[in-house]
Amino acid sequence: MKLIGNINDIKYTRENRNQDIALHISRMEYITHKKDGRFFQPFDLEVELEDPIVLTGDRLARIQNKLLAEGEYEFEVYDKEGDAYTLNPDKQLSLSIEYDFDADVTILSSLYYTVTVSNEEFKELKAEHIRQKKQQQKGRGKKGR
């Protein structure tokens, strides 16, 4: 995870001028809700990405949440198709930053990028994730001989 630019420039509405802000996301979380008896339960899958996703500031709008501590932010995520931006309610970004006064540097301390998917998509993603882990383990076993 890496932050380029000033995240505080992003306001409560999406703006094109925030294109110079970039977040490099290396871990993604997929969430689905399955019925467990009478109630729906959340299930999640965290995936480490080989190539980071880059989200630019023009695709983000801050969410007003007075319960967040200083340095914590939540964002709505917009999808961009051509020149059109559409809000994607299935994607959410939350992050925490800290300021190091001695070094005069802003540090990205945590980043959570979540995508809500259907149960079918979740099953496919989980199966693919398990296949990739098995392939990685096979490769490691051969090197140790």
Side-chain angles (χ1 to χ4, degrees), residues 101-117:
F101 291 99
D102 296 332
D104 193 29
V105 173
T106 301
I107 302 166
L108 180 62
S109 56
S110 69
L111 185 138
Y112 297 99
Y113 184 57
T114 58
V115 179
T116 304
V117 295

Side-chain angles (χ1 to χ4, degrees), residues 50-65:
E50 291 178 20
D51 298 323
I53 295 173
V54 178
L55 258 179
T56 54
D58 62 328
R59 295 181 52 200
L60 301 173
R62 198 182 307 180
I63 296 174
Q64 286 187 345
N65 185 347

Side-chain angles (χ1 to χ4, degrees), residues 76-128:
E76 295 175 321
V77 179
Y78 289 78
D79 289 334
K80 183 178 180 182
E81 295 179 23
D83 290 338
Y85 293 88
T86 55
L87 176 63
N88 189 334
D90 295 331
K91 295 180 181 179
Q92 187 173 8
L93 175 73
S94 59
L95 57 88
S96 299
I97 58 171
E98 297 175 8
Y99 186 74
D100 184 352
F101 291 99
D102 296 332
D104 193 29
V105 173
T106 301
I107 302 166
L108 180 62
S109 56
S110 69
L111 185 138
Y112 297 99
Y113 184 57
T114 58
V115 179
T116 304
V117 295
S118 68
N119 289 332
E120 294 78 28
E121 282 182 276
F122 186 81
K123 287 178 188 176
E124 291 172 11
L125 289 166
K126 192 165 189 173
E128 180 65 28

Side-chain angles (χ1 to χ4, degrees), residues 19-33:
Q19 291 179 353
D20 58 334
I21 301 170
L23 285 161
H24 295 257
I25 301 169
S26 57
R27 181 180 295 163
M28 214 167 145
E29 181 180 30
Y30 294 100
I31 298 176
T32 190
H33 293 85

Side-chain angles (χ1 to χ4, degrees), residues 136-145:
Q136 289 174 354
Q137 288 175 350
K138 282 183 183 178
R140 288 183 190 152
K142 292 179 182 178
K143 289 180 183 176
R145 291 184 184 174

